[in-house]
Amino acid sequence: KEFHTCSLIVDCVCFQSGRCDLHKGLRIEISEQPHTMRQVTNIIIALQKFKQVRSTEFTDHELFNIIIENIVEESMGLKVNCESSRTYNKQDRVIQCTVCDGLKKSLVQSQGTPNLLAVTLRGGNSNRSVGINLSTYTTPGCKATNGQPICLKIAQSNLYLACTKESGTSSQPHLILEDVKDEETLKTIEENDGMERFLFFRKVTGGSINTFESVKYPHWFISTSKNESMPVDMCVEEDTSRQKVFTLQDQKVI
């Protein structure tokens, strides 16, 4: 038998007696359609009832009543306005680390230009690698994102990584170091308020592989050249000529 309520399907193997044996076959599927918090809560309550039933057998009618009683959503409920603008609020947790690209090149600060360079450091040159302060932001409520919103700052400075375009041009986005004189302006960032250039979506795969996608310019990622001592910049996801994956080293919470 199948009962469809709030996208929950309970599939039982029934016998000639007209009863269903849960141990013989119980399949619960949740559709990809969005659910309210109340729906999720009701599903959990229903599953708990299944676990509390003393007998492993009950009639189709009893099963139907359990589902109807616990999963049918009431007409009243909390509504979340998903049409409102995204708001990113800075959290207190800050991770300090150094960053290497997929070719083990370290990020160092370029002298005289607002850029970072990706350089292979050997021997006693490891101290040239810049420390990065990674600050996290709350993810905006009911809107999907491509990872954890963060901002990236050069340690012991007011320099932040920013993805931006030259004013009045239609050029592609670039990564620069920007001096933020009032860091209070980064505590709360609103959609389209001009400060999104400092935000990146951090996605971690395999436990240690990081990518950083621009919030302001979707599908543009922080990247490095395969060549030595070239500026760290932005590229599109499809660009296979550049390195888009990074590892965080010497991490500590400050």
Side-chain angles (χ1 to χ4, degrees):
K1 300 286 184 181
E2 289 189 351
F3 302 97
H4 301 259
T5 309
C6 291
S7 300
L8 179 72
I9 304 173
V10 178
D11 200 7
C12 295
V13 176
C14 298
F15 300 94
Q16 292 181 352
S17 63
R19 293 176 177 270
C20 296
D21 186 348
L22 286 181
H23 294 293
K24 295 296 182 181
L26 175 61
R27 177 170 60 88
I28 298 177
E29 297 180 356
I30 306 299
S31 77
E32 296 183 357
Q33 298 299 318
H35 294 278
T36 66
M37 183 62 70
R38 184 174 186 81
Q39 286 175 311
V40 174
T41 303
N42 285 335
I43 290 171
I44 294 172
I45 292 172
L47 292 176
Q48 289 298 320
K49 278 216 172 186
F50 289 149
K51 293 163 68 175
Q52 294 169 5
V53 176
R54 292 183 180 179
S55 171
T56 59
E57 294 186 348
F58 42 85
T59 66
D60 291 355
H61 181 70
E62 290 169 338
L63 177 61
F64 180 81
N65 284 340
I66 290 175
I67 295 172
I68 292 300
E69 178 185 354
N70 290 285
I71 300 178
V72 174
E73 183 182 9
E74 295 180 4
S75 59
M76 295 182 62
L78 178 65
K79 292 185 178 180
V80 179
N81 182 12
C82 291
E83 300 303 321
S84 60
S85 298
R86 299 189 189 193
T87 300
Y88 302 87
N89 293 302
K90 195 174 185 180
Q91 299 176 316
D92 294 332
R93 185 170 181 265
V94 178
I95 298 174
Q96 189 171 97
C97 60
T98 57
V99 179
C100 289
D101 69 8
L103 297 177
K104 306 300 183 184
K105 297 195 298 295
S106 299
L107 305 190
V108 303
Q109 194 166 348
S110 173
Q111 298 298 320
T113 65
N115 299 107
L116 291 173
L117 303 179
V119 178
T120 301
L121 298 178
R122 297 184 176 87
N125 291 322
S126 59
N127 60 347
R128 290 185 57 200
S129 180
V130 296
I132 299 289
N133 287 358
L134 186 155
S135 298
T136 58
Y137 285 73
T138 56
T139 302
C142 68
K143 285 197 176 184
T145 66
N146 295 323
Q148 171 69 54
I150 63 162
C151 69
L152 298 164
K153 169 188 174 181
I154 303 298
Q156 300 177 339
S157 79
N158 290 329
L159 295 175
Y160 285 80
L161 276 68
C163 180
T164 185
K165 291 182 179 181
E166 293 183 13
S167 179
T169 71
S170 58
S171 62
Q172 68 182 38
H174 288 286
L175 186 72
I176 63 170
L177 293 176
E178 186 171 334
D179 188 5
V180 178
K181 305 208 179 285
D182 184 6
E183 294 183 284
E184 291 293 314
T185 60
L186 295 177
K187 283 193 171 181
T188 299
I189 296 178
E190 301 280 351
E191 186 174 26
N192 299 321
D193 70 354
M195 302 299 285
E196 286 179 298
R197 65 185 183 276
F198 295 106
L199 291 179
F200 300 88
F201 288 130
R202 178 195 179 197
K203 182 177 289 185
V204 183
T205 56
S208 61
I209 304 301
N210 296 261
T211 58
F212 302 99
E213 180 182 6
S214 171
V215 170
K216 185 174 180 62
Y217 299 105
H219 312 300
W220 285 84
F221 290 79
I222 295 178
S223 64
T224 61
S225 170
K226 294 180 180 179
N227 297 323
E228 189 70 24
S229 301
M230 299 298 291
V232 182
D233 209 340
M234 305 299 295
C235 77
V236 292
E237 188 172 9
E238 296 78 12
D239 189 346
T240 58
S241 69
R242 298 182 62 84
Q243 292 286 309
K244 296 179 287 293
V245 298
F246 299 88
T247 57
L248 308 185
Q249 301 181 339
D250 305 319
Q251 298 183 52
K252 62 179 180 181
V253 178
I254 61 173

